[in-house]
């Protein structure tokens, strides 16, 4: 039974200062879901006895089966802080995020609707690759973070560290987190330092907690400072500064000192944190573990428990040592108290957060009424809601309200301004929205059927939800593909919230088809639902008619296929191809101009291709350079950084594929008549050519096409789309192949943690898979090694199983997409691996296996 009523929750929704929107983020298996159990128990969702085992927010059957979080799940509840007085109630909208790199898109979607984040780090493993990734994602969204160092019990029981060794382990973790914050957050947060405050992590500030999610206990230094303030006759603020760093208490001198040696006796002193914080916890562990009579609590332990103000029930005395220890620690230092303290005191409310986040979120004029409404978190202003993901109504739901809604979706998001209510008429702006004068990706007239407060696998319907809250919306799912911005129906001059940037790419793909031809329509509908249910997955059809599913990695692909078969295409038997990898095509040198004639021979186009630098490509992929740039700024950037001719930046006709890719067409012509009339046709041809390159039908990357010259017929009827588009496509294909085209493959950064004796076996597996070792380091205070290496994605299939087999299950890899790498081999050399790769891709796509030459597309002057 929950500890709050729906009426209490609804009233608090309008008290913006008492709202906290937070995400729990971490590396995989660092204990996010077990920690959230403590908060769920404090709110009354689960019993305290099952904290750390229930995993209340793992509600999908795939999550329960695999034991990892796959979908980010919201839990809204009310907590009291600092006491049980109803005047100190806060609404916590908590989102438990996945830690596996394949599901990083869920983290991005969660962070967009959050104002704060709790980063969880395993005390033994420390900061891992995904810890850095999720921290970087949070900082890019201007999210303030607090730190929870989890699994402290492992340091005490497994590694049997001393209190001083524990302290040094904590210091290393905090330093690593601060290095990441300063590396990625310094520039992003500099504009809003006055509002956001100091973003560094420091236990003295109270934004670091220590504990064990599995056992349900945790603490901040503030809690111990309150305990010891009376003993030392000092304010809790002053005691707090003594419980961290080089501070020691000299009993002989009866004072605190910064020297580790007593000034009177010359004896070594214990660090304040070790003596007054961690040692009492060590003693509890030691006394409980050494208990010999399982039926009663020994006298010495009984005295210690009383000093801790812990009261045990009679049945607690008969518990085994492990369960008794968990009970004592949970009552002495409840993890929910420590986390609630950090969330309430150190993470911002929407009123504060939106003052420094609005400029990052809104794409329109930052002085218009919509930007001001977002900045002020104005509930009375125009409605602006961002939908970050779509949740299938069948997803883990036990709510009877969802019966009969199979195949429908809840739009999950955040109200940044205004108030959304049932029966509201809304204007829906999708991710491809261009301009208020354009009708592209805009729908007007959608009706909100219900507004929902999301509570894990259940949800509660409310009449309206004001600015600053996260919620689910029903009734508009048919107008939304993945994400969108909602505003009032009449707000025709409103711009959308900025699209999200994901930290991973869908580089692994598979082809699917139904066993029975009569099920093709059902499969197509199921694929649409699958694409809607996941922020990152791509479902498309290629030119040969295959249905393609593209995902971030092997596990992501496996989950998508399972959801397709079990949820979205029930009863349809599906045939699946072997997983394949997305490649790209590029060029390695500038080529001679290539001529292409139209079919009527009245028009001639001359194109040349040359490679773009990796720096230029990164700027396009990051959005620094794009089709919507200020032309003067773009010109200045290209002239100063890349040495382009003055004014040439204004002559970039387009980017591609899909109007945003890392390839460009530049008009280099001098005094050519009618050129502006064929620009749209050339752009259309380029979008198709850059999406399916001439080499093997893979997208292009890093190619600049220069329109060198053109000869066009004076009569427009002879230079229409039917003539120009095919000719331009041939010109792009011939110039690409003539510029020594290359294949580009995706590369994973693989991080492997293992004991030292497994190192030889792991090196053998990596070398066999064309991998490159880049770093090997010992994890201080543990018997483990951390190995980092690069492995081509195409070689990564089955890597986890092979490593486990070779090391007896002691090694587990974490694969993160890192970069694209050009395969520097001769495409035409039949003895090279890249030649076989290209032939295999062409065969799979139904093309002729023979690799084309540029002469196959080139026209000649005298023909």
């Amino acid at each position: 039974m929950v500890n709050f009523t729906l009426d209490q929750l609804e009233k608090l929704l309008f008290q913006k200062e008492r709202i906290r929107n937070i995400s729990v983020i971490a590396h995989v298996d660092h204990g996010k879901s077990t920690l959230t159990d403590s908060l769920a128990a404090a709110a009354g969702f689960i019993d305290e006895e099952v904290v750390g085992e229930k995993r209340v927010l793992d509600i999908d059957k795939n999550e329960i089966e695999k034991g990892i979080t796959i979908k980010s799940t919201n839990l809204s509840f009310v907590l009291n802080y600092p006491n049980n007085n109803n005047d100190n109630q806060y609404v916590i909208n908590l989102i438990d995020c996945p830690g596996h790199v394949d599901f990083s898109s869920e983290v991005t979607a969660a962070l967009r609707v959050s104002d704060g984040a709790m980063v969880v780090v395993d005390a033994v493993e420390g900061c891992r690759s995904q810890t850095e990734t999720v921290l970087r994602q949070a900082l890019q969204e201007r999210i303030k973070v607090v730190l929870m160092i989890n699994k402290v019990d492992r340091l005490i029981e497994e590694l049997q560290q001393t209190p001083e060794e524990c302290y040094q382990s904590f210091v290393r973790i905090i330093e690593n987190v601060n290095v990441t914050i300063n590396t990625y957050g310094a520039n992003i947060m500099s504009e809003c330092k006055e509002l956001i405050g100091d973003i560094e992590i420091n236990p003295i500030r109270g934004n670091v907690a220590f504990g064990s999610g599995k056992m349900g206990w945790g603490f901040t230094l503030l809690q111990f400072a309150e305990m010891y303030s009376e003993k030392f006759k000092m304010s809790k603020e002053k005691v707090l500064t003594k419980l961290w760093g080089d501070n020691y208490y000299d009993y002989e001198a009866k004072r605190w000192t910064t020297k580790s040696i007593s000034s009177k006796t010359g004896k070594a002193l214990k660090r304040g944190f070790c003596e007054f914080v961690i040692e009492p916890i060590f003693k509890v562990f030691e006394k409980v573990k050494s208990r010999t009579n399982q039926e009663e609590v020994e006298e010495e332990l009984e005295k210690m428990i009383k000093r801790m103000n812990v009261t045990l029930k009679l049945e607690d005395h008969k518990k085994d040592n492990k369960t008794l220890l968990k009970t004592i620690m949970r009552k002495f230092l409840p993890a929910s108290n420590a986390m609630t303290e950090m969330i309430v005191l150190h993470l911002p409310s929407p009123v504060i957060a939106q003052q420094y986040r609005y400029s990052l979120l809104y794409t329109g004029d930052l002085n218009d009424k919509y930007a001001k409404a977002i900045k002020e978190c104005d509930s009375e202003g125009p409605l602006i809601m961002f939908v970050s993901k779509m949740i299938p109504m069948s997803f883990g739901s036990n709510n009877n309200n969802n019966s009969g809604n199979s195949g429908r979706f809840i739009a999950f998001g955040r109200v940044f301004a205004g108030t959304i209510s049932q029966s509201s008429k809304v204007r829906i702006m999708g991710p491809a929205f261009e301009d208020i004068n354009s009708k592209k990706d805009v729908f007007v007239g959608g009706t909100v059927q219900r507004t929902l407060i999301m509570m894990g696998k259940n949800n509660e319907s409310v009449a309206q939800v004001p600015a600053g809250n996260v919620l689910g919306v029903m009734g508009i799912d048919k107008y939304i593909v993945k994400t969108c911005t909602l505003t009032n129906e009449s707000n025709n001059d409103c711009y959308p919230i900025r699209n999200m940037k994901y930290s991973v790419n869908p580089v692994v793909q598979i082809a699917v088809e139904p066993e029975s031809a009569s099920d093709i329509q059902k499969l197509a509908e199921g694929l649409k639902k699958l694409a809607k249910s996941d922020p990152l997955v791509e479902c498309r059809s290629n030119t040969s008619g295959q249905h393609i599913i593209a995902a971030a990695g092997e596990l992501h692909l496996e989950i998508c296929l399972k959801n397709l078969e079990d949820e979205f295409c029930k009863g349809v038997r599906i045939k699946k191809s072997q997983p394949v990898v997305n490649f790209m095509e590029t060029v390695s040198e500038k080529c001679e101009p290539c001529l292409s004639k139209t079919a009527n021979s009245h028009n001639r186009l001359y194109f040349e291709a040359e490679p773009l630098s990796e720096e230029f490509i990164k700027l396009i992929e990051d959005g620094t350079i794009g089709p919507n740039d200020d032309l003067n700024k773009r010109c200045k950037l290209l002239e100063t950084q890349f040495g382009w001719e003055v004014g040439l930046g204004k002559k970039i006709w387009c980017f591609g594929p899909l109007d945003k890719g890392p390839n460009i067409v530049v008009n280099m012509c001098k005094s050519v008549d009618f050129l502006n009339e064929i620009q749209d046709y050339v752009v259309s041809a380029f979008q198709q050519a850059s999406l399916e390159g001439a080499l093997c039908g893979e997208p292009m990357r890093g190619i600049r096409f220069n329109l060198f010259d053109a000869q066009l017929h004076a009569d427009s009827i002879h230079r229409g789309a039917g003539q120009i588009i095919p000719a331009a496509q041939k010109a792009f294909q011939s110039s690409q192949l003539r510029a020594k085209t290359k294949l580009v493959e995706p590369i994973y950064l693989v991080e492997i943690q293992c004991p030292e004796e497994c190192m030889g076996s792991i090196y053998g597996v990596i070398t066999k898979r064309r991998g490159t070792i880049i770093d090997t380091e010992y994890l201080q205070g543990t018997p483990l090694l951390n190995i980092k290496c690069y492995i081509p994605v195409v070689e990564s299939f089955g890597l986890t199983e092979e490593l486990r087999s070779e090391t007896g299950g002691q090694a587990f890899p974490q694969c993160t997409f890192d970069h694209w790498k050009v395969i520097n081999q001769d495409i035409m050399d039949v003895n090279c691996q890249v030649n076989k790769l290209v032939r295999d891709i062409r065969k799979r796509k139904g093309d002729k296996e023979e690799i084309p030459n540029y002469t196959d597309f080139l026209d000649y002057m005298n023909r």
Side-chain angles (χ1 to χ4, degrees):
M1 181 87 181
V2 293
N3 301 334
F4 59 92
T5 65
L6 187 59
D7 287 341
Q8 284 178 308
L9 179 60
E10 282 195 77
K11 286 177 184 176
L12 287 168
L13 295 181
F14 288 86
Q15 299 180 38
K16 296 186 283 272
E17 294 80 5
R18 295 187 177 276
I19 298 170
R20 298 292 184 274
N21 301 310
I22 69 157
S23 293
V24 185
I25 56 177
H27 187 82
V28 66
D29 289 333
H30 277 204
K32 301 173 300 301
S33 299
T34 51
L35 274 168
T36 53
D37 274 4
S38 294
L39 288 169
F45 287 98
I46 58 173
D47 189 72
E48 282 193 354
E49 295 299 319
V50 296
V51 165
E53 297 167 6
K54 180 71 174 175
R55 295 167 63 92
V56 67
L57 290 182
D58 283 356
I59 59 179
D60 182 55
K61 60 185 178 184
N62 293 321
E63 296 177 320
I64 297 164
E65 182 184 309
K66 293 194 174 288
I68 62 169
T69 304
I70 291 170
K71 296 286 185 183
S72 55
T73 309
N74 183 75
L75 185 70
S76 295
F77 53 92
V78 175
L79 283 183
N80 299 322
Y81 183 83
N83 50 46
N84 290 325
N85 189 331
N86 286 341
D87 292 335
N88 294 311
Q89 290 184 324
Y90 289 83
V91 173
I92 311 292
N93 296 311
L94 181 144
I95 306 176
D96 180 28
C97 300
H100 196 287
V101 65
D102 281 10
F103 309 107
S104 290
S105 56
E106 293 280 346
V107 182
T108 307
L111 288 170
R112 172 51 63 90
V113 300
S114 303
D115 298 316
M118 183 165 68
V119 182
V120 181
V121 178
D122 187 322
V124 175
E125 294 186 4
C127 291
R128 300 285 303 278
S129 59
Q130 192 64 5
T131 311
E132 182 179 323
T133 301
V134 295
L135 252 175
R136 185 175 69 246
Q137 286 177 277
L139 294 167
Q140 285 171 345
E141 289 282 346
R142 288 187 184 165
I143 301 293
K144 196 171 184 180
V145 299
V146 293
L147 175 65
M148 177 74 195
I149 299 178
N150 193 25
K151 304 189 183 182
V152 175
D153 56 308
R154 289 185 65 196
L155 296 180
I156 301 170
E157 296 188 292
E158 286 181 33
L159 301 183
Q160 296 185 345
Q161 290 188 347
T162 64
E164 180 62 27
E165 287 172 335
C166 282
Y167 172 79
Q168 296 301 335
S169 296
F170 298 152
V171 168
R172 280 194 298 274
I173 290 169
I174 292 166
E175 283 178 353
N176 288 336
V177 170
N178 279 329
V179 165
T180 305
I181 288 173
N182 287 319
T183 302
Y184 298 109
N187 292 332
I188 298 168
M189 302 296 195
S190 58
E191 301 173 21
C192 49
K193 195 165 184 179
E194 289 183 11
L195 288 167
I196 200 169
D198 199 332
I199 57 174
E200 282 198 356
I201 297 299
N202 190 331
I204 295 173
R205 293 197 189 108
N207 55 12
V208 182
F210 312 84
S212 168
K214 193 81 174 172
M215 298 180 74
W217 61 269
F219 63 89
T220 64
L221 293 190
L222 181 60
Q223 290 171 280
F224 278 91
E226 288 170 347
M227 293 181 200
Y228 288 116
S229 63
E230 189 176 339
K231 176 181 178 177
F232 292 112
K233 301 292 188 290
M234 296 164 62
S235 67
K236 64 182 180 183
E237 290 79 12
K238 197 165 183 181
V239 175
L240 186 61
T241 62
K242 305 298 183 184
L243 294 180
W244 190 257
D246 295 330
N247 292 293
Y248 309 83
Y249 189 72
D250 189 339
Y251 283 94
E252 298 297 327
K254 294 186 178 180
R255 64 184 180 86
W256 287 91
T257 177
T258 55
K259 295 177 182 178
S260 59
I261 304 295
S262 172
S263 58
K264 286 201 170 185
T265 63
K267 291 181 180 179
L269 300 176
K270 291 180 181 178
R271 191 183 300 274
F273 176 82
C274 298
E275 184 171 4
F276 299 110
V277 178
I278 205 75
E279 268 191 15
I281 295 170
F282 268 68
K283 286 175 183 175
V284 175
F285 271 73
E286 184 184 340
K287 289 295 179 186
V288 175
K289 290 292 183 181
S290 62
R291 187 174 66 134
T292 53
N293 187 346
Q294 299 289 323
E295 296 297 317
E296 61 181 43
V297 176
E298 294 166 356
E299 186 179 348
E300 194 175 344
L301 179 58
E302 186 77 59
K303 288 179 182 176
M304 182 184 289
I305 293 169
K306 283 183 179 176
R307 286 200 301 271
M308 293 158 56
N309 294 323
V310 171
T311 305
L312 293 180
K313 297 176 183 175
L314 190 60
E315 57 265 29
D316 292 334
H317 290 238
K318 297 181 180 181
K319 290 178 178 176
D320 61 82
N321 288 353
K322 187 176 180 181
T323 312
L324 178 62
L325 177 62
K326 182 177 176 180
T327 303
I328 293 170
M329 289 302 299
R330 196 173 62 239
K331 291 187 175 185
F332 175 42
L333 298 168
S336 58
N337 288 3
M339 290 189 286
T340 305
E341 177 195 306
M342 287 200 302
I343 290 167
V344 171
L345 298 184
H346 300 287
L347 293 181
S349 68
V351 179
I352 296 171
Q354 288 184 202
Q355 290 180 46
Y356 55 78
R357 290 191 71 204
Y358 84 102
S359 59
L360 195 73
L361 295 169
Y362 187 58
T363 55
D365 183 355
L366 296 180
N367 293 314
D368 70 14
K369 63 180 180 180
Y370 305 105
K372 288 177 181 175
I374 296 173
K375 183 179 181 181
E376 295 166 7
C377 194
D378 185 4
S379 303
E380 303 297 323
L383 171 66
I384 298 177
M385 174 183 169
F386 182 73
V387 174
S388 67
K389 61 179 283 191
M390 304 295 289
I391 303 172
M393 294 188 70
S394 58
F395 174 62
S397 179
N398 292 337
N399 196 323
N400 293 330
N401 293 332
N402 290 345
S403 58
N405 283 312
S406 178
R408 298 296 301 276
F409 289 80
I410 296 170
F412 176 73
R414 158 90 173 262
V415 182
F416 286 101
T419 301
I420 190 166
S421 55
Q422 295 178 8
S423 303
S424 295
K425 293 279 188 182
V426 292
R427 184 170 187 255
I428 301 166
M429 294 173 281
F433 177 88
E434 291 180 347
D435 189 80
I436 56 174
N437 299 317
S438 170
K439 294 183 179 179
K440 185 177 179 181
D441 209 5
V442 180
F443 180 83
V444 180
T447 304
V448 174
Q449 292 176 356
R450 291 168 62 206
T451 50
L452 306 170
I453 299 299
M454 310 297 287
M455 297 182 182
K457 61 186 177 184
N458 298 312
N459 52 63
E460 294 291 343
S461 183
V462 293
Q464 56 184 359
V465 179
N469 290 283
V470 298
L471 76 157
V473 173
M474 284 178 58
I476 56 172
D477 53 319
K478 62 184 176 182
Y479 312 116
I480 305 170
V481 178
K482 288 181 185 287
T483 66
C484 72
T485 302
L486 306 181
T487 186
N488 303 108
E489 188 179 22
S490 58
N491 292 340
N492 296 325
D493 56 342
C494 178
Y495 279 84
I497 297 294
R498 197 176 306 278
N499 291 332
M500 296 180 291
K501 290 181 184 176
Y502 300 115
S503 63
V504 289
N505 291 330
V507 292
V508 180
Q509 62 183 29
I510 197 169
V512 293
E513 60 177 308
E515 289 187 5
S516 171
S518 61
D519 289 329
I520 288 177
Q521 187 61 35
K522 287 183 182 176
L523 177 64
E525 289 298 318
L527 288 170
K528 283 182 185 176
K529 292 173 185 174
L530 175 64
K532 186 174 286 194
S533 71
D534 190 288
L536 186 73
V537 71
E538 292 179 2
C539 299
R540 60 179 184 269
S541 297
N542 61 15
T543 50
S544 58
Q546 287 181 309
H547 292 291
I548 304 295
I549 300 173
E554 211 172 349
L555 180 60
H556 189 201
L557 192 60
E558 179 192 332
I559 298 297
C560 288
L561 288 170
K562 200 156 188 257
N563 287 340
L564 181 67
E565 292 178 315
D566 297 348
E567 297 290 337
F568 305 122
C569 286
K570 280 183 181 176
V572 177
R573 301 185 67 178
I574 298 172
K575 288 194 293 186
K576 303 179 279 284
S577 71
Q578 288 297 313
V580 294
V581 174
N582 288 339
F583 290 87
M584 287 194 173
E585 301 176 21
T586 191
V587 296
S588 56
E589 65 180 34
K590 188 173 181 178
C591 71
E592 294 292 320
C594 294
L595 166 65
S596 179
K597 297 178 185 177
T598 56
N600 60 14
S601 299
H602 291 323
N603 307 280
R604 295 178 179 184
L605 301 173
Y606 297 85
F607 274 97
E608 60 183 15
E610 62 177 293
L612 292 171
S613 67
E614 192 62 32
E615 186 185 357
F616 197 114
I617 295 168
K618 291 289 184 190
L619 290 176
I620 297 175
E621 291 176 336
D622 293 344
T624 307
I625 298 176
N628 299 320
D629 296 340
D630 179 279
L631 294 183
N632 292 323
K633 289 181 180 177
R634 181 202 288 171
C635 285
K636 189 174 181 181
L637 176 67
L638 296 179
E639 289 159 18
T640 53
Q641 282 192 232
F642 301 100
W644 280 38
E645 293 177 19
V646 175
L648 191 58
K650 295 180 180 179
K651 295 187 176 182
I652 296 176
W653 271 7
C654 59
F655 295 77
L658 305 176
D659 297 318
K660 59 183 179 183
N663 307 283
I664 57 174
V665 175
V666 183
N667 172 22
M668 304 281 286
C669 296
K670 307 286 186 186
S671 305
V672 174
D673 293 332
F674 316 117
L675 195 62
N676 62 325
E677 295 181 23
I678 68 160
Q679 180 174 341
D680 288 346
Y681 306 148
V682 173
V683 168
S684 178
F686 172 70
Q687 297 302 336
Q688 181 60 36
S690 60
L691 188 62
E692 297 183 359
L695 182 63
C696 53
E698 294 290 319
M700 295 180 187
R701 182 177 189 270
I703 306 179
R704 169 182 165 180
F705 291 99
N706 298 319
L707 178 56
F708 195 76
D709 196 5
Q711 296 171 10
L712 304 173
H713 196 281
D715 191 344
S716 61
I717 200 168
H718 293 300
R719 46 181 162 80
Q723 296 291 332
I724 299 297
I725 290 176
Q729 280 185 319
K730 280 199 307 174
F732 291 129
Q733 291 167 329
S734 60
S735 54
Q736 179 203 342
L737 294 171
R738 195 170 190 177
K740 288 201 176 175
T741 188
K742 298 283 185 183
L743 199 64
V744 189
E745 66 177 345
I747 303 293
Y748 273 150
L749 171 64
V750 183
E751 189 173 344
I752 306 165
Q753 209 168 72
C754 63
E756 186 177 0
E757 59 267 21
C758 300
M759 188 165 61
S761 303
I762 291 170
Y763 277 21
V765 173
I766 292 168
T767 305
K768 187 173 72 175
R769 292 173 176 266
R770 293 197 289 129
T772 308
I773 306 290
I774 56 172
D775 187 32
T776 302
E777 63 177 352
Y778 287 91
L779 294 177
Q780 292 183 358
T782 75
L784 299 175
L785 273 174
N786 198 49
I787 299 171
K788 289 184 181 178
C789 61
Y790 289 135
I791 290 181
V793 175
V794 73
E795 301 284 356
S796 69
F797 299 116
L799 175 65
T800 303
E801 290 74 14
E802 186 176 2
L803 281 174
R804 285 177 179 168
S805 158
E806 292 289 329
T807 62
Q810 296 184 82
F812 178 76
Q814 179 86 347
C815 301
T816 311
F817 172 75
D818 191 78
H819 63 278
W820 293 92
K821 182 183 178 184
V822 176
I823 304 176
N824 282 313
Q825 296 177 2
D826 186 355
I827 296 283
M828 295 300 181
D829 187 346
V830 293
N831 297 317
C832 289
Q833 186 181 14
V834 69
N835 182 275
K836 183 179 182 303
L837 263 176
V838 172
R839 287 175 178 274
D840 287 345
I841 295 169
R842 292 183 64 83
K843 184 179 178 181
R844 171 167 52 84
K845 293 188 174 183
D847 299 330
K848 288 190 292 185
E849 276 191 57
E850 184 183 348
I851 297 175
N853 198 305
Y854 76 91
T855 54
D856 298 340
F857 304 99
L858 189 68
D859 287 326
Y860 295 91
M861 291 287 291
N862 55 354
R863 293 183 189 174

